[in-house]
Amino acid sequence: MSYDQAQRLRERLKSLKTEAKSVAVMSGKGGVGKSNFSLNFSLALQQEKKRVLLFDLDIGMGNIDILIGESSAYSIVDFFNQDMLLSEIISTGPNGLDYISGGTGLGIIFSMDEEKFQRFLQQLGLLFKLYDYIVFDMGAGISEDSLRFLLSVDEIIVITTPEPTSMTDAYAAIKNVCVNNRTIPFTIVVNRAFNKKVGETTYKRLEQTINQFLKREVSLLGTIPDDSTIMKAVIDQKPFILFQPGCQASKALKMISQNYLEKKNTMEKIQEEAPFISKLKHFFMKGR
């Protein structure tokens, strides 16, 4: 991040008093398009005039960099290894999207002493005052470390496909979170659906299983068609919502972002829960 960018962030920090909503995007298995969704969803929210930070927590893989064909100057690895500020490792992606790269060479975010972790929390708390939404692109599956993040966010978007193995793994991931938190909201996105009916049927099957065995309510955020444009955009290393805004996948993604924002407006919490930073601190200390 340049000096001018850092200065603009400091000025925004002085004037803003909002607290970003934290959204985790997870999947039960890899290869379902989770990171691609996180990227395009963040861009779609930005197109709706929201301030968004995309945080790649699939640490060591650098998925977002690959999807946009960039090599970030800094990543979360530099924050830990070089004692940089989080604001200094923010990169600017397509359409000016702010994001933090997962980088390479670091596998466990919480393998640090308490002093380093407190510094991480303090820095992250500052970023929460700069944005409307912070979207955490989680690694595939759930580890002990990623679970702490998942238990701390305001809500979780689960990406699945119509494949039975993908649905089974998505259910297992949701169950893993539910065992530890019975109230966190889940929404489902069915990716690579052959058509809308297949997407809705996939969701219904997953919903029924969750209701029956976990006694939890979930909702369908939307379906994304199995559009060949997505693969073309991936090969060209461009977000498909920018690569071809008029394709079926882009239209579906825009509808998903609009549905998401409408739900946020009509489902305001009656009681404020503990903020993300407080919850993350609690789960980190509890796990030590």
Side-chain angles (χ1 to χ4, degrees):
M1 172 174 286
S2 67
Y3 173 81
D4 289 341
Q5 286 175 300
Q7 182 63 30
R8 284 198 297 271
L9 285 176
R10 284 192 288 270
E11 291 173 355
R12 284 170 58 189
L13 184 59
K14 291 178 182 178
S15 62
L16 297 173
K17 299 182 183 299
T18 58
E19 186 82 5
K21 292 296 181 183
S22 52
V23 186
V25 181
M26 77 171 190
S27 63
K29 60 178 288 188
V32 299
K34 172 188 56 61
S35 293
N36 208 6
F37 172 84
S38 298
L39 171 61
N40 285 276
F41 178 65
S42 297
L43 285 166
L45 289 179
Q46 190 178 54
Q47 290 178 354
E48 296 293 330
K49 310 302 181 184
K50 303 300 180 182
R51 297 163 299 175
V52 183
L53 173 66
L54 175 58
F55 200 138
D56 187 352
L57 276 181
D58 197 354
I59 299 172
M61 302 301 291
N63 287 339
I64 302 302
D65 278 340
I66 295 171
L67 287 169
I68 64 175
E70 297 286 347
S71 180
S72 301
Y74 303 107
S75 72
I76 188 63
V77 177
D78 296 297
F79 172 82
F80 293 115
N81 291 348
Q82 300 185 32
D83 288 333
M84 297 182 69
L85 302 177
L86 280 182
S87 60
E88 293 176 324
I89 65 171
I90 295 175
S91 298
T92 302
N95 274 27
L97 175 69
D98 287 346
Y99 77 99
I100 293 179
S101 169
T104 58
L106 184 69
I108 304 177
I109 194 171
F110 288 106
S111 58
M112 66 185 98
D113 58 35
E114 185 173 343
E115 182 179 349
K116 284 188 176 182
F117 185 70
Q118 292 292 349
R119 177 173 171 272
F120 174 71
L121 288 181
Q122 187 267 339
Q123 291 288 311
L124 191 58
L126 294 177
L127 294 187
F128 265 77
K129 298 181 184 301
L130 294 172
Y131 298 94
D132 297 312
Y133 295 94
I134 295 184
V135 178
F136 294 104
D137 178 34
M138 309 300 297
I142 298 179
S143 66
E144 182 179 340
D145 293 329
S146 65
L147 180 60
R148 293 169 182 162
F149 260 88
L150 290 167
L151 294 174
S152 304
V153 297
D154 294 310
E155 56 196 306
I156 298 174
I157 299 175
V158 183
I159 311 299
T160 187
T161 71
E163 295 179 11
T165 53
S166 178
M167 294 170 61
T168 300
D169 288 341
Y171 168 79
I174 293 171
K175 179 181 179 181
N176 202 344
V177 176
C178 286
V179 167
N180 296 277
N181 186 326
R182 299 292 305 173
T183 62
I184 191 165
F186 287 96
T187 53
I188 309 296
V189 171
V190 181
N191 194 22
R192 299 175 186 161
F194 297 114
N195 53 53
K196 187 176 181 179
K197 182 178 180 180
V198 169
E200 292 176 348
T201 300
T202 299
Y203 165 72
K204 283 295 182 182
R205 289 175 179 170
L206 186 56
E207 178 196 31
Q208 289 170 3
T209 304
I210 293 170
N211 288 344
Q212 180 179 353
F213 295 104
L214 301 181
K215 310 301 181 185
R216 281 294 311 271
E217 296 293 328
V218 295
S219 61
L220 177 64
L221 189 55
T223 65
I224 301 175
D226 190 17
D227 189 337
S228 61
T229 301
I230 295 178
M231 182 55 67
K232 293 175 183 177
V234 169
I235 293 172
D236 208 40
Q237 293 184 293
K238 294 180 180 178
F240 64 79
I241 199 172
L242 303 179
F243 180 76
Q244 197 171 120
C247 74
Q248 292 303 308
S250 294
K251 291 178 180 177
L253 202 287
K254 291 174 185 176
M255 185 169 293
I256 285 173
S257 67
Q258 291 167 1
N259 289 343
Y260 173 80
L261 293 175
E262 287 175 6
K263 286 183 179 180
K264 295 300 297 180
N265 291 334
T266 59
M267 295 176 63
E268 291 295 330
K269 297 176 183 176
I270 297 176
Q271 292 181 328
E272 279 294 322
E273 293 185 0
F276 173 86
I277 300 299
S278 297
K279 288 187 285 186
L280 185 58
K281 181 178 180 180
H282 165 76
F283 289 118
F284 173 76
M285 299 306 297
K286 184 178 178 181
R288 290 183 70 84

